[in-house]
Amino acid sequence: MAPPTEVISPTDGHPRKWQILTIMCGCLVLVVAGVSSLNLAIPSIIAALQPSATETLWIVDSYALVFAGLLLPAGALGDRYGRKGALLVGLGIFIAGALSSAWSGDPTQLIIARGSMGIGAALIMPATLSIIVSVFPVLEKPKAIAVWAGFAGAGAAIGIVGGGLLLEYFWWGSVFFINVPIALAAAGFIAVRVPTSKDENETPFDPVGSVLSIAGLGSLVYAIIEGGEVGWAEGSTIAWFVASAILLAAWVQWERRARHPMLDPALFRRLPFSLGSVALISGFAVMFGMFFILTQYFQFAQGHSPLAAGVRTLPFAATMVIVSPRSPLVTARIGARGAMTLGLIFQATGFFVLAQLEVDSPYILAAVGLVLAATGMGLLMPPASAAIVSSVPPSKAGVGSAWNDATREVGGALGIAVLGTLLSTGYRTSVQDTTAGLPPELADLAEEGIGGAFRVAAEAGTPELADAARNAFVDGLSLAYLVGSGVGVAAAVLVAARYPR
């Protein structure tokens, strides 16, 4: 509850609601940027710590795997014991993990430290939205959620730009250390200026449901990661998908029978909740896949530095911050169904434009694609997030926010894995004509990715291979982005046909 001297008015909300919104958005950007900034730092980490290919994969994925698996229980803990407390504990864990990551001496330490940051992120992210919902009055909640959603989308681009700037002047660990002073400042403000809130009914915690959700969502994300790395038809990938299906089915059955379920499965029969989830999963899948490919395009295909590559993604962040707060006005005029459908169409159009990129394309083409895709996300995210959060009772705001966040993490992992696979497939098919005359071990390295092709070209003195690799990368990019555009169109058709007026 808020302190007795700070009454949260039903019509005006908390007196410091806009300050609280600002600091919650700052905490949110910390969590989202934790993924994108690392992707930019991977080449520097490989040079410093020399991880194996498997270790490199888990340096990237340990954070997302732990984060996604713990979101629902973390949200439930905030509801039961206090969302402000969950946020502060999460920031403390995040700070400790960032410090350990920044000064990791070997790949194993970095993997463990990144996983611990995922624990902190799982406590932070749902608490930010549930606190915002608790301090704003009903009429202003859509606008507040829209601002939060804008920074949720812009955080990836902000992380890329910030990471590029840090890597230009400091060591690889700076992309983690920068989180520490920001998180400390946020924790200080939260401790003294943010009211607490929790489930006033003090609903008992659901330990069995929590364990099943951790195992089910964790297995699903792991299966997606495995599919992107070793192949979707491999036995290990199929086994993990089967395991996730069994565990999630067991979770649904438990929640249906539990006296105090963590998340009522009946919510998925409500079209606003289920279609809002589908829209966010598809939107974030193609968005994360977009950044994963586009930062490589700017660096490998066009030869820009990490900082220059990051700066070139700024139109996305700027557009998100501008469009998202205006999404409630669009929603009020054409409805949530119309706003979400329009957003998905804009995003699909942006991906179609990006699919036209060539090695020597002028930057304006990429900028137009980024602005269109960001406009789509800015229109889509606020009504989809509001549909999910408003479907759960106020006492379950933390769990509702956690599910809203889980759709982003599952979508992000799926997008990077699927679009990354399409990129590799298109690249490998195109580059094989050039590698046919190379020794088998060099051909395999060149076909593995554009970075390997550059190394082979340098060692063998064959600059034509590097040129062929750039063109092959663009072929793979076009394939991935065209499929991403198709996903947006399919989601738009589904929402337009099924979402209630």
Side-chain angles (χ1 to χ4, degrees), residues 6 42 61-62 108 115 256 265 340 344 363 387 395 425-426 436 454 461 467:
E6 296 182 334
I42 282 296
D61 290 331
S62 58
T108 302
R256 289 176 62 186
M340 290 163 60
L344 287 164
Y363 172 66
S395 62
T425 300
F454 282 178
D467 292 335

Side-chain angles (χ1 to χ4, degrees), residues 18 128 132 141 167 187 190 212 255 280 283 289 291 329 350 361 374 396 436 454 487-488:
W18 296 108
T128 61
I132 288 169
K141 281 180 184 178
L167 291 170
I190 292 163
L212 288 172
E255 295 294 273
L280 284 180
F291 281 120
L329 298 176
S361 292
K396 292 287 188 179
F454 282 178
V487 168

Side-chain angles (χ1 to χ4, degrees), residues 15-16 77 99 113 115 119 142 146 224 232 250 254 302 340 355 394 396 436 443 452 455 483:
R16 291 192 299 274
L77 285 170
L99 285 170
I119 298 173
I224 292 169
W232 299 97
W254 171 264
Q302 294 203 320
M340 290 163 60
K396 292 287 188 179
R455 290 198 297 274
V483 171

